[in-house]
Amino acid sequence: MLFRSQELVDHKSDREGAQKDVAEATAIRDKERSDYEAVAADSKTNIDALAGAIPALEKGMGGAALLQTQAGSRLTKIFESAQDLDSYDKENVLAFLQGKSQDTSPGSDQIVGMMKQMLESMQKASAEADADEAKAAAGNTELMASKNKEIEVATGAIESKTVRTGELAVSIVQTANALDDTEDEQKDNEQTLATLKVQCVEKTKEFQERSADRKSTRLN
């Protein structure tokens, strides 16, 4: 009985541990997904802006005109925060976009070249982020399946052993009751036997007395 009780405690502890792991993993996965979606959305906006600006510049659109388009302000932000460009190239691109280029500044072909390089880097980084997200999602799915299986097994064991423990408790009570009944019956039997012995002694005494009386009568 004590062994089964300890097993129940162990199974409940295993289930609680697995449930805690699921909750923690779910919270982490939700945070990772939220961060990825935010970065992915920003990355897509930047890629779309560059992908639209490059052919426009190749067709002869000036930097100042490009800045007036819907993607213009996004392009400024992209190059202001660009990590792949040195300060000189960054200043030249921003000057081009703002229509402040000097004769010594790079021409549109060079600006387009830098944009294409940046676009390629962004697309590569976006693809890597997508791959990392897919890998994290797959890993989480595998972990959830494993932990849910642990919970299922522990729950099944808890239910099974709870039933068995209950049955054993009932059996113990029934055995104890049967033993009590047997003891009571034995006491009744012993009491009956004692009564019969007393009655036997009394009957024997009465018989002896009657026999003595008959003998005395015959002699007289």
Side-chain angles (χ1 to χ4, degrees):
M1 186 73 171
L2 291 176
F3 176 71
R4 291 187 183 278
S5 297
Q6 184 57 48
E7 284 185 334
L8 275 173
V9 171
D10 292 341
H11 288 312
K12 288 179 180 179
S13 177
D14 291 342
R15 183 172 65 177
E16 289 172 359
Q19 289 171 333
K20 181 179 179 182
D21 290 342
V22 167
E24 291 177 350
T26 298
I28 292 173
R29 179 85 278 270
D30 289 345
K31 178 66 166 56
E32 288 176 344
R33 185 187 300 109
S34 178
D35 291 344
Y36 161 76
E37 290 174 349
V39 172
D42 189 62
S43 177
K44 183 180 184 305
T45 300
N46 290 341
I47 289 172
D48 289 346
L50 279 173
I54 290 171
L57 289 175
E58 289 176 331
K59 291 178 181 179
M61 179 179 286
L66 183 62
L67 195 61
Q68 301 304 313
T69 65
Q70 186 176 2
S73 59
R74 172 61 62 166
L75 289 172
T76 299
K77 291 179 180 179
I78 290 173
F79 285 99
E80 284 178 343
S81 60
Q83 302 294 321
D84 296 337
L85 297 178
D86 58 34
S87 58
Y88 176 76
D89 287 338
K90 187 181 296 187
E91 289 176 3
N92 283 328
V93 172
L94 292 173
F96 174 82
L97 291 175
Q98 295 167 6
K100 299 178 181 179
S101 299
Q102 304 295 323
D103 293 338
T104 56
S105 299
S108 61
D109 289 343
Q110 291 174 285
I111 299 297
V112 168
M114 284 188 281
M115 286 187 174
K116 285 183 176 180
Q117 183 178 359
M118 181 168 289
L119 176 61
E120 183 179 348
S121 295
M122 286 184 176
Q123 290 172 331
K124 180 179 178 181
S126 178
E128 290 175 350
D130 291 345
D132 289 342
E133 167 61 16
K135 184 177 179 180
N140 182 72
T141 298
E142 183 177 350
L143 176 63
M144 290 298 102
S146 175
K147 291 299 177 181
N148 286 330
K149 184 63 177 179
E150 288 182 25
I151 293 171
E152 179 184 349
V153 170
T155 299
I158 290 169
E159 293 174 351
S160 175
K161 285 186 171 58
T162 297
V163 171
R164 292 179 184 176
T165 299
E167 291 174 346
L168 180 58
V170 170
S171 177
I172 290 173
V173 170
Q174 290 175 339
T175 301
N177 290 338
L179 179 60
D180 290 341
D181 291 342
T182 301
E183 291 175 347
D184 290 341
E185 184 178 354
Q186 183 179 359
K187 290 178 181 178
D188 291 340
N189 291 336
E190 290 174 350
Q191 186 175 358
T192 300
L193 179 59
T195 301
L196 289 174
K197 286 181 179 180
V198 171
Q199 291 176 349
C200 183
V201 170
E202 291 177 348
K203 294 294 182 182
T204 300
K205 183 178 179 181
E206 289 177 359
F207 176 76
Q208 290 174 345
E209 290 177 349
R210 286 196 300 270
S211 296
D213 289 341
R214 285 194 297 267
K215 184 177 180 182
S216 175
T217 301
R218 284 197 301 268
L219 291 175
N220 294 330

